[in-house]
Amino acid sequence: MAHCPFATWKPISGPSGTNLGGPFKIVHHTTEGSTAQGAFDAFRAHGSDPHFTVDATKIYQHIDTNEAARALKNLAGGVQTNRDSAVQIEVVGFAHRPKTRATLENVRRLCRWIESTHSIPTTWPNGPPKPAVNGKDPGGHNRNAANWDMKGGHYGHSNVPENTHWDPGYTKTEVDFLMLDNTEGLESTEFNAIILEDPGLKNDHSRMPDHADPEGVSLEMPGKAKSAAKRKPAPHKKTADTGGKTVAAKPAKSAAARGGKLETVSAKTQKSGPKKSAPPRGKKK
């Protein structure tokens, strides 16, 4: 059992199965919502649980880190994603917004525990995540599949093969803060740029093409701007990684359930190349 001793245990959908290979790595996401509870509702509705959810006050663990999570898209015929020993962290917030110091401190502390537990190096094999440009996807993300499959370290969701989201959108300063291995250097003037509070977080919405915003209304797309009063919820479909079978998950039934990220997830039980037998599938969402 690999349970973080300082995290609050909060299982939701269960694992997607056992890991099928790959060195251990850490994947950083943002929930694309403003609250942990909104993220939990979305995970439950869509079967998209990470291992951890982190905000400014608490670290929640949903899945044992020796088992596979569910928050990545996984296409048939490519590399494994969820089941490639990827320990996944969802940071409460948005890719286009800065992260608060308290949130980053919790993520930093958690990363050191995961690294120590699973012998993960403090490197970014596909490069660090790119921050938003004018609040939007900066583009040009390195999703090198060979690195992902063969090299342990840290990856943004933006650096995972077969995926399209560009979170977590960390700035260079945020990455530098997260990579500190102890408290020395935390008072560096570089980190004065990290915000202490984000009062605008609760009123913001996701700017990724296939996300619902935290209030449950559809994303305002470029060239199709509408007033909030006229926007209608956009339908979303999501499939669940059950460790060997693609199953259509039920849509969210409430606005709260649409407060987190919506990433299409499909399952496969083998990597490209030599075939591997799939172990018994994980707990069904």
Side-chain angles (χ1 to χ4, degrees), residues 4-73:
C4 179
F6 48 84
T8 298
W9 181 244
K10 189 178 179 60
I12 298 177
S13 306
S16 64
T18 58
N19 289 311
L20 299 179
F24 272 98
K25 53 194 70 88
I26 297 173
V27 180
H28 299 252
H29 302 255
T30 46
T31 62
E32 297 305 296
S34 58
T35 67
Q37 185 58 55
F40 302 155
D41 292 341
F43 302 155
R44 184 174 295 107
H46 303 290
S48 56
D49 313 15
H51 290 92
F52 298 95
T53 300
V54 180
D55 64 14
T57 61
K58 192 171 286 189
I59 299 169
Y60 300 90
Q61 184 169 1
H62 311 298
I63 298 170
D64 188 307
T65 57
N66 281 323
E67 298 180 290
R70 300 171 169 271
L72 294 169
K73 182 186 295 183

Side-chain angles (χ1 to χ4, degrees), residues 5-280:
F6 48 84
T8 298
W9 181 244
K10 189 178 179 60
I12 298 177
S13 306
S16 64
T18 58
N19 289 311
L20 299 179
F24 272 98
K25 53 194 70 88
I26 297 173
V27 180
H28 299 252
H29 302 255
T30 46
T31 62
E32 297 305 296
S34 58
T35 67
Q37 185 58 55
F40 302 155
D41 292 341
F43 302 155
R44 184 174 295 107
H46 303 290
S48 56
D49 313 15
H51 290 92
F52 298 95
T53 300
V54 180
D55 64 14
T57 61
K58 192 171 286 189
I59 299 169
Y60 300 90
Q61 184 169 1
H62 311 298
I63 298 170
D64 188 307
T65 57
N66 281 323
E67 298 180 290
R70 300 171 169 271
L72 294 169
K73 182 186 295 183
N74 194 52
L75 302 179
V79 297
Q80 286 291 335
T81 56
N82 288 308
R83 302 179 71 181
D84 204 43
S85 301
V87 180
Q88 302 183 55
I89 303 171
E90 288 274 7
V91 180
V92 174
F94 301 95
H96 67 274
R97 295 191 71 87
K99 286 67 178 173
T100 66
R101 185 170 179 126
T103 297
L104 291 172
E105 179 55 42
N106 279 342
V107 176
R108 189 182 73 85
R109 183 186 182 199
L110 176 59
C111 285
R112 299 297 87 78
W113 178 83
I114 299 170
E115 290 161 358
S116 175
T117 301
H118 296 290
S119 301
I120 300 173
T122 55
T123 58
W124 298 81
N126 278 347
K130 294 184 177 182
V133 175
N134 297 321
K136 297 179 181 180
D137 181 356
H141 306 290
N142 181 10
R143 302 182 191 268
N144 185 288
N147 285 345
W148 167 262
D149 204 31
M150 301 298 293
K151 296 180 180 181
H154 291 251
Y155 294 80
H157 191 180
S158 56
N159 303 120
V160 179
E162 303 177 9
N163 285 250
T164 59
H165 286 173
W166 56 275
D167 52 312
Y170 292 148
T171 65
K172 180 183 182 302
T173 297
E174 290 169 346
V175 169
D176 289 346
F177 185 89
L178 290 176
M179 293 297 100
L180 287 175
D181 61 2
N182 53 45
T183 57
E184 294 182 10
L186 287 177
E187 301 308 316
S188 168
T189 56
E190 175 190 5
F191 302 133
N192 291 340
I194 297 176
I195 62 174
L196 300 180
E197 296 182 354
D198 186 7
L201 177 66
K202 65 181 180 180
N203 294 319
D204 207 344
H205 63 272
S206 180
R207 298 182 185 180
M208 290 193 195
D210 56 349
H211 275 291
D213 74 21
E215 301 305 317
V217 295
S218 64
L219 174 66
E220 187 172 292
M221 298 296 291
K224 297 182 180 180
K226 296 181 181 180
S227 67
K230 293 182 179 181
R231 283 183 285 170
K232 296 181 180 180
H236 292 276
K237 292 183 179 180
K238 183 180 182 66
T239 56
D241 188 345
T242 61
K245 183 177 181 181
T246 301
V247 180
K250 294 180 180 180
K253 295 183 179 180
S254 66
R258 295 188 290 270
K261 70 191 307 183
L262 299 174
E263 169 74 271
T264 301
V265 181
S266 61
K268 69 181 179 65
T269 58
Q270 62 184 30
K271 299 181 183 178
S272 57
K275 294 185 177 180
K276 297 182 180 180
S277 298

